[in-house]
């Protein structure tokens, strides 16, 4: 809420005045109300390995994170630029591979990447889009600078929280919205549907779009059902689909119906048991052959994962320069790639000041936070680094910005990050907002829900001009 | 609509309806258990709930006697009993969860909050609240769900599959209710004509009340409670919403609208014809228990055929 010099940020000025008038008790009351709302609506994620009790709420904080119009326009530009470059990169590595031939990205990083999908080589995708839905995780480190933490271009989740958090805030604090200039987020589903329709196979006029889920016991099932409902499309599982004479059909009460676009929330490895994991009951036998013949579009495309791992992350600024001929709007966190001997030496010498991450790790697992680790833990990680340097990157610990948050002690600053959602189809766009995750433990930098993080509503303030227009 | 979605809707309706019908059945029996015990009339009262050997054995594996507390625990809250009210609400809720994208928010919220409440309920809570009040609450939640469905669902396929589930389940339950009565309340030993009449009054009267047909009986027959007429009212009278006839009429209507040339529509017409041509005196002579059992089997076959015609996933 405060800038580096201690002043209240302009974006927070109105809200801060309002907050000063609120009693802690009223806020706590609203907080309890929000919990009840989320539980009644069933906005939960499933915890694996538990039975009927295994549904949890992600803690929700009633104090929003506010982003000024100016900050947002930078973020927006930067996120779009990044995703455009990633899509160009994906098209390139599955076609001419110019970026490799130009020596910008090392060939082995691409070709030996587990997520690289040889089946996708030479395939032409509608509008050359691979990542239709992307989540670009960013943090702010000072008044002006946002760093990108990572790009999520496989099946990024959490967008339902962006929408439900707003919905809940509007139910709890209608007075705040009546007079504020918060940009609405609720058109996300409409934009998503439009993007999905825009990448239908050529020649299909009125495409049938479906959302494919692993099923109701998947941790993100609520989100899958929510998005299908918001878009008015069928929510299907693998068993609802089958391949016949070169197309994909779904089983309906009126017989088979052809499917043109599949927004899948199932990982690559489970999509087609004939090609990938033969034990998977989640996929559709023969689906990949239909993808390859171009008679169905799978979103996000298979093999997008090659662009979003932590090793490739270092090269995204180069991709932006290479494909778009522009300078990156958003900065990468300075990253040491342990596969480079110089970087490895630096990391080993300075491990206590760094965060070390596994290239393929996610969810806050498989990492070392140097300043918080014991000497033994650091030594252990050094051994791992020496054994498998390719598998690790390291970054300096950042002075992340904080946001006021309602916790047991009252209102206190907690570290936050932000995931804006980028949609690519007929054009690339970002809904003004995103998912703000907050580390609820004092001093913690880990915001993952699996590690006890919570979420907040994210307010992007509209430009004054826009409001005048509407008046 | 996806076959799997239709399947979920069908079962969602059945489970919700089943929870209500079990509550009705238990309310009736609970009231009977409070009546003055005359000549062993209550012997076997709760035991009669368990009509098959399997059901009996499943119960006896956990509880040692057929008394009010254990039977109610088992039938209402036992999570291992897949037909307990709690399990029905859970199953309904899971089916709604799987199809919430085609249902209205109000429907989901209604089932979900019912589940959240019952999930926390213990037998002690139920005793505190009073058995009658608790079972009444279940009924109200089912009424509410039905009302919400009627008041908010688009009149399309989803609505029809939901309706079909409701009426198949309800028809089966009314038969089950009558069969349980035929099973349970056989007076033991020689009894006087007057005792029989008193017993009939309490037992069949309670049954009528449990399906809200007591007043209708009085209006229609204007005479004392006679088992034969109770059966006639609850099977053959289309004016009574929980009668088998009323339910089968609804099923025919739904199937005719959905798929008039299907096998299951034919079957439903046959079932309707059987009721329309039945006469209670003839039924009584050939044996009520057999009539009920045959008809239940017919409904079961219809249910299987519906699944074959519309809902089969593989």
């Amino acid at each position: 809420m405060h800038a580096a010099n201690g002043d209240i940020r302009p974006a927070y000025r109105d809200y801060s005045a309002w907050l000063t008038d609120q009693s802690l008790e009223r806020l706590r009351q609203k907080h309890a109300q929000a919990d009840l709302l989320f539980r009644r609506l069933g906005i939960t994620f499933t915890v694996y390995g538990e039975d009927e009790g295994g549904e949890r709420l992600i803690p929700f904080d009633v104090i929003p994170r506010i982003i000024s119009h100016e900050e947002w326009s930078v973020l927006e530009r930067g996120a779009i630029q990044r995703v455009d470059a990633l899509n160009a990169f994906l098209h390139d590595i599955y076609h001419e591979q110019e970026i490799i031939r130009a020596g910008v990205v090392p060939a082995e990083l691409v070709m030996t990447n587990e997520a690289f999908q040889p089946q996708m080589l030479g395939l032409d995708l509608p509008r050359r889009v691979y990542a239709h839905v992307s989540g670009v995780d960013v943090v702010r480190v000072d008044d002006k600078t946002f760093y990108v933490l990572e790009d999520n271009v496989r099946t990024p989740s959490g967008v339902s929280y962006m929408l439900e958090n707003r919905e809940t805030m509007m139910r709890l604090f209608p007075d705040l919205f009546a007079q504020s200039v918060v940009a609405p987020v609720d058109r996300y589903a409409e934009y998503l549907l439009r993007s999905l329709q825009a990448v239908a196979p050529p020649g299909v006029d009125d495409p049938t779009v479906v959302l494919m889920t692993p099923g109701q016991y998947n941790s993100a099932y609520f989100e899958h059902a929510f998005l299908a409902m918001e878009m008015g499309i069928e929510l299907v599982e693998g068993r609802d689909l089958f391949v016949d004479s070169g197309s994909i059909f779904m089983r309906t009460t009126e017989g088979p119906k052809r499917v043109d676009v599949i927004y899948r929330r199932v990982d690559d490895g489970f999509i087609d048991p004939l090609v990938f994991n033969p034990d998977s009951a989640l996929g559709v036998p023969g689906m990949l052959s239909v993808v390859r013949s171009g008679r169905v579009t799978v979103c996000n495309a298979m093999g997008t994962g090659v662009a979003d791992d932590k090793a490739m992350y270092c090269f995204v600024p180069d991709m932006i320069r290479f494909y778009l001929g522009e300078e990156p709007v958003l900065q990468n966190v300075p990253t040491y790639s342990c596969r480079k001997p110089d970087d490895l030496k630096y990391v080993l010498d300075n491990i206590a000041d760094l965060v070390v991450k596994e290239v393929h790790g996610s969810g806050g697992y498989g990492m070392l936070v140097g300043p918080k680790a014991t000497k033994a833990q650091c030594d252990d990680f050094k051994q791992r680094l020496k054994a498998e340097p390719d598998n690790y990157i390291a970054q300096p610990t950042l002075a992340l910005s904080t946001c006021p948050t309602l916790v047991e002690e009252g209102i206190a600053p907690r570290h936050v990050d932000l995931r804006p959602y980028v949609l690519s189809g007929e054009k690339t766009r970002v809904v003004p907002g995103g998912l703000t995750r907050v580390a609820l433990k004092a001093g913690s930098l880990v915001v993952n829900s699996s590690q006890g993080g919570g979420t907040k509503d994210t307010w992007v303030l509209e430009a004054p001009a826009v409001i005048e227009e509407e008046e | 609509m996806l076959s799997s979605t239709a399947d979920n809707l069908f079962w969602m309706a059945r489970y919700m309806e089943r929870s209500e019908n079990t509550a009705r059945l238990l309310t009736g029996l609970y009231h009977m258990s409070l009546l003055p015990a005359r000549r062993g009339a209550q012997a076997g009262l709760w035991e009669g709930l368990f009509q098959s050997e399997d059901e009996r054995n499943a119960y006896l594996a956990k509880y040692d006697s057929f008394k009010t507390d254990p039977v109610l625990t088992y039938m209402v809250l036992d999570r291992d009993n897949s037909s307990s009210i709690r399990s029905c609400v859970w199953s309904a809720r899971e089916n709604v969860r799987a199809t919430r994208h085609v249902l209205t928010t109000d429907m989901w919220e209604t089932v979900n909050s019912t589940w959240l409440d019952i999930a926390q309920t213990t037998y002690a809570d139920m005793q505190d609240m009073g058995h009658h009040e608790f079972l009444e609450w279940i009924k109200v939640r089912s009424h509410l769900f039905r009302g919400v469905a009627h008041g908010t669902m688009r009149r399309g396929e989803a609505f029809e599959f939901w309706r079909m589930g409701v009426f198949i389940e309800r028809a089966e339950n009314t038969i089950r209710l009558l069969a349980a009565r035929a099973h349970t309340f056989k007076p033991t030993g020689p009894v006087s004509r007057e005792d029989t009449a008193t017993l009939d009054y309490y037992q069949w009267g309670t049954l009528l009340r449990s399906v809200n047909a007591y007043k209708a009986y009085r209006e229609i027959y204007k005479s004392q409670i006679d088992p034969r007429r109770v059966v006639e009212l609850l099977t053959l009278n289309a004016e009574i919403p929980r009668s088998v006839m009323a339910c089968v009429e609804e099923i025919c209507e739904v199937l005719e609208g959905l798929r008039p040339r299907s096998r299951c529509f034919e079957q439903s017409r046959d079932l309707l014809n059987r009721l329309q041509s039945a006469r209670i005196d003839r039924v009584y002579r050939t044996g009520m228990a057999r009539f009920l059992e045959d008809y239940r089997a017919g409904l079961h076959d219809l249910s299987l055929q519906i699944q074959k015609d519309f809902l089969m996933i593989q």
Side-chain angles (χ1 to χ4, degrees):
Chain A
M1 184 154 83
H2 294 87
N5 62 8
D7 290 350
I8 290 179
R9 286 175 186 283
Y12 275 92
R13 214 166 278 146
D14 290 348
Y15 181 79
S16 165
W18 176 88
L19 189 62
T20 318
D21 289 343
Q22 306 300 310
S23 69
L24 205 53
E25 196 188 337
R26 175 156 190 264
L27 287 175
R28 289 206 197 285
Q29 220 175 8
K30 294 286 182 187
H31 178 88
Q33 231 175 309
D35 260 15
L36 201 68
L37 263 173
F38 276 101
R39 200 168 284 283
R40 263 201 27 218
L41 290 169
I43 305 173
T44 54
F45 68 104
T46 308
V47 181
Y48 296 112
E50 291 183 28
D51 63 355
E52 55 188 39
E55 287 169 35
R56 299 267 176 80
L57 293 179
I58 293 184
F60 171 71
D61 183 53
V62 293
I63 301 176
R65 188 225 186 129
I66 307 178
I67 297 172
S68 74
H69 176 72
E70 294 72 30
E71 289 168 317
W72 178 254
S73 59
V74 174
L75 268 178
E76 183 180 37
R77 239 174 348 115
I80 289 174
Q81 180 191 53
R82 216 165 155 101
V83 170
D84 281 345
L86 287 168
N87 272 317
F89 171 72
L90 284 159
H91 178 82
D92 185 28
I93 58 166
Y94 289 117
H95 291 82
E96 288 75 26
Q97 306 194 330
E98 280 168 9
I99 200 163
I100 295 174
R101 278 189 278 143
V104 178
V105 172
E108 75 270 18
L109 258 195
V110 175
M111 307 312 281
T112 63
N113 193 304
E114 276 176 28
F116 183 75
Q117 196 47 262
Q119 306 269 3
M120 296 297 288
L121 281 166
L123 264 185
D124 293 326
L125 300 190
R127 296 179 191 265
R128 296 192 172 183
V129 177
Y130 286 75
H132 305 82
V133 183
S134 317
V136 180
D137 291 348
V138 295
V139 288
R140 181 162 61 205
V141 286
D142 60 40
D143 285 356
K144 289 221 169 58
T145 319
F146 281 96
Y147 277 152
V148 174
L149 283 182
E150 62 182 53
D151 307 284
N152 299 280
V153 295
R154 296 170 207 222
T155 52
S157 65
V159 74
S160 57
Y161 291 96
M162 169 179 93
L163 300 171
E164 290 289 354
N165 286 354
R166 175 63 53 82
E167 186 87 22
T168 304
M169 287 296 276
M170 291 177 85
R171 272 164 94 160
L172 296 180
F173 305 104
D175 48 326
L176 269 174
F177 286 89
Q179 47 182 311
S180 80
V181 290
V182 181
V185 291
D186 52 5
R187 292 186 71 187
Y188 177 84
E190 196 187 310
Y191 291 145
L192 173 60
L193 182 60
R194 222 190 282 168
S195 297
L196 295 170
Q197 286 166 337
V199 294
V204 177
D205 288 337
D206 183 17
T208 299
V209 183
V210 300
L211 195 156
M212 183 177 176
T213 171
Q216 71 188 104
Y217 298 103
N218 182 269
S219 64
Y221 179 76
F222 163 74
E223 176 157 308
H224 306 160
F226 176 86
L227 287 174
M229 178 187 64
E230 288 281 316
M231 290 189 281
I233 63 176
E234 291 292 356
L235 178 65
V236 304
E237 295 178 32
R239 62 194 174 123
D240 295 313
L241 301 175
F242 65 96
V243 174
D244 188 35
S245 39
S247 291
I248 292 195
F249 293 88
M250 55 182 168
R251 297 181 167 88
T252 81
T253 54
E254 287 160 298
K257 180 159 201 278
R258 201 189 69 213
V259 170
D260 305 303
V261 180
I262 302 177
Y263 176 35
R264 52 86 180 229
R265 297 292 296 264
V266 176
D267 292 339
D268 279 7
F270 298 97
I271 271 190
D272 186 341
L274 295 186
V275 183
F276 306 109
N277 186 348
D279 304 326
S280 168
L282 303 177
V284 185
M287 182 151 148
L288 195 73
S289 66
V290 185
V291 173
R292 287 195 51 82
S293 70
R295 295 176 75 171
V296 73
T297 309
V298 169
C299 306
N300 291 354
M302 281 179 254
T304 54
V306 68
D308 77 356
D309 75 20
K310 293 183 178 75
M312 210 57 87
Y313 162 87
C314 311
F315 294 95
V316 177
D318 295 331
M319 292 177 199
I320 293 171
R321 293 182 193 105
F322 186 80
Y323 294 112
L324 309 180
E326 297 169 7
E327 274 306 302
V329 175
L330 297 174
Q331 303 304 312
N332 265 17
V333 180
T335 302
Y336 303 95
S337 177
C338 300
R339 54 196 301 283
K340 296 185 194 157
D342 288 354
D343 284 13
L344 176 64
K345 182 170 183 314
Y346 179 85
V347 173
L348 291 172
D349 292 347
N350 297 281
I351 197 158
D353 301 324
L354 298 169
V355 179
V356 188
K357 295 175 179 173
E358 260 182 62
V359 172
H360 303 291
S362 69
Y365 296 103
M367 60 189 279
L368 175 87
V369 181
K372 305 241 164 212
T374 62
K375 174 139 195 330
Q377 284 168 330
C378 288
D379 288 344
D380 172 51
F381 245 77
K382 280 189 191 174
Q383 294 311 314
R384 293 205 228 169
L385 282 173
K386 283 181 203 158
E388 272 185 295
D390 287 8
N391 205 20
Y392 293 92
I393 56 149
Q395 295 167 335
T397 50
L398 303 170
L400 294 191
S401 68
T402 61
C403 183
T405 301
L406 183 65
V407 290
E408 263 180 44
E409 307 91 281
I411 297 174
R414 290 290 184 266
H415 293 298
V416 288
D417 77 354
L418 172 67
R419 174 180 292 182
Y421 293 90
V422 186
L423 294 172
S424 310
E426 84 273 43
K427 57 178 275 198
T428 310
R429 70 170 115 221
V430 193
V431 175
L435 177 65
T436 290
R437 298 184 299 175
V438 52
L440 293 173
K441 285 182 214 140
S444 170
L445 298 174
V446 185
V447 294
N448 299 80
S449 52
S450 48
Q451 312 274 317
T455 70
K456 287 167 168 291
D457 192 14
T458 312
W459 291 5
V460 172
L461 301 186
E462 285 188 333
V466 176
I467 299 154
E468 278 162 26
E469 243 169 61
E470 280 175 358
E471 270 170 0
Chain B
M1 180 193 306
L2 286 180
S3 299
S4 57
T5 305
D7 187 64
N8 278 311
L9 291 168
F10 180 72
W11 284 101
M12 159 191 92
R14 293 198 65 158
Y15 283 122
M16 215 51 201
E17 186 70 21
R18 192 175 294 178
S19 71
E20 175 184 342
N21 283 290
T22 304
R24 287 177 179 280
L25 178 63
L26 295 176
T27 309
L29 291 173
Y30 180 65
H31 279 245
M32 286 300 304
S33 77
L34 301 179
L35 295 177
R38 289 178 59 120
R39 294 164 214 269
Q42 282 155 352
L45 176 77
W46 289 115
E47 197 173 347
L49 265 177
F50 303 90
Q51 291 181 17
S52 79
E53 204 52 32
D54 288 348
E55 289 170 28
R56 276 178 63 92
N57 291 341
Y59 175 82
L60 288 172
K62 294 191 79 169
Y63 306 92
D64 46 18
S65 67
F66 292 100
K67 292 206 177 98
T68 307
D69 286 352
V71 170
L72 282 181
T73 306
Y74 184 72
M75 292 301 291
V76 178
L77 296 177
D78 197 316
R79 56 174 85 193
D80 299 329
N81 172 14
S82 64
S83 53
S84 73
I85 291 175
R86 183 186 195 275
S87 299
C88 285
V89 174
W90 162 253
S91 302
R93 191 247 188 197
E94 284 305 281
N95 282 302
V96 177
R97 204 159 87 86
T99 50
R100 56 186 290 175
H101 61 294
V102 299
L103 297 175
T104 59
T105 317
D106 289 350
M107 287 179 81
W108 160 251
E109 286 195 29
T110 304
V111 177
N112 194 40
S113 46
T114 305
W115 162 248
L116 293 174
D117 286 341
I118 202 173
Q120 294 170 357
T121 304
T122 63
Y123 193 66
D125 296 335
M126 208 173 124
Q127 282 173 312
D128 283 351
M129 192 172 168
H131 293 315
H132 180 84
E133 278 66 29
F134 184 82
L135 294 168
E136 200 59 32
W137 174 77
I138 294 288
K139 264 164 58 182
V140 168
R141 294 307 298 185
S142 168
H143 288 320
L144 180 64
F145 181 66
R146 200 162 42 240
V148 165
H150 257 283
T152 63
M153 268 181 105
R154 182 169 71 82
R155 275 11 180 203
E157 260 193 311
F159 183 74
E160 296 303 326
F161 279 103
W162 169 75
R163 253 179 94 195
M164 195 149 68
V166 169
F167 289 111
I168 288 206
E169 184 67 27
R170 189 182 291 176
E172 280 189 5
N173 275 290
T174 298
I175 289 179
R176 187 183 167 87
L177 203 63
L178 292 168
R181 162 64 186 84
H183 220 267
T184 316
F185 300 132
K186 274 192 197 112
T188 52
V191 284
S192 68
R193 185 179 287 269
E194 196 187 327
D195 280 346
T196 310
T198 312
L199 216 52
D200 282 347
Y201 172 77
Y202 280 124
Q203 294 175 339
W204 291 96
T206 306
L207 187 150
L208 282 172
R209 281 200 182 85
S210 74
V211 290
N212 290 110
Y214 185 81
K215 266 173 77 182
Y217 184 93
R218 290 297 190 200
E219 283 164 12
I220 293 169
Y221 295 106
K222 297 180 179 61
S223 72
Q224 64 172 4
I225 307 276
D226 170 358
R228 210 180 303 191
R229 286 175 173 162
V230 174
V231 175
E232 181 180 48
L233 188 76
L234 294 185
T235 52
L236 306 181
N237 191 324
E239 290 173 359
I240 305 298
R242 309 195 81 81
S243 77
V244 183
M245 178 78 94
C247 295
V248 175
E249 276 183 356
E250 298 263 7
I251 295 164
C252 285
E253 193 188 299
V254 170
L255 288 173
E256 189 171 17
L258 278 175
R259 203 83 79 255
R261 270 187 292 279
S262 62
R263 184 78 207 283
C264 56
F265 176 57
E266 254 173 56
Q267 262 179 261
S268 70
R269 292 291 316 176
D270 287 348
L271 281 174
L272 187 62
N273 289 338
R274 266 163 76 180
L275 288 182
Q276 282 167 341
S277 60
R279 296 290 169 270
I280 194 64
D281 291 330
R282 221 160 49 218
V283 168
Y284 196 69
R285 273 200 304 277
T286 49
M288 242 146 52
R290 215 182 91 194
F291 170 74
L292 294 172
E293 190 37 57
D294 284 354
Y295 208 82
R296 180 149 74 175
L299 278 171
H300 183 69
D301 287 346
L302 174 62
S303 175
L304 291 179
Q305 190 61 42
I306 287 171
Q307 297 194 55
K308 253 183 230 156
D309 287 353
F310 296 103
L311 313 176
M312 292 297 271
I313 291 165
Q314 294 303 331

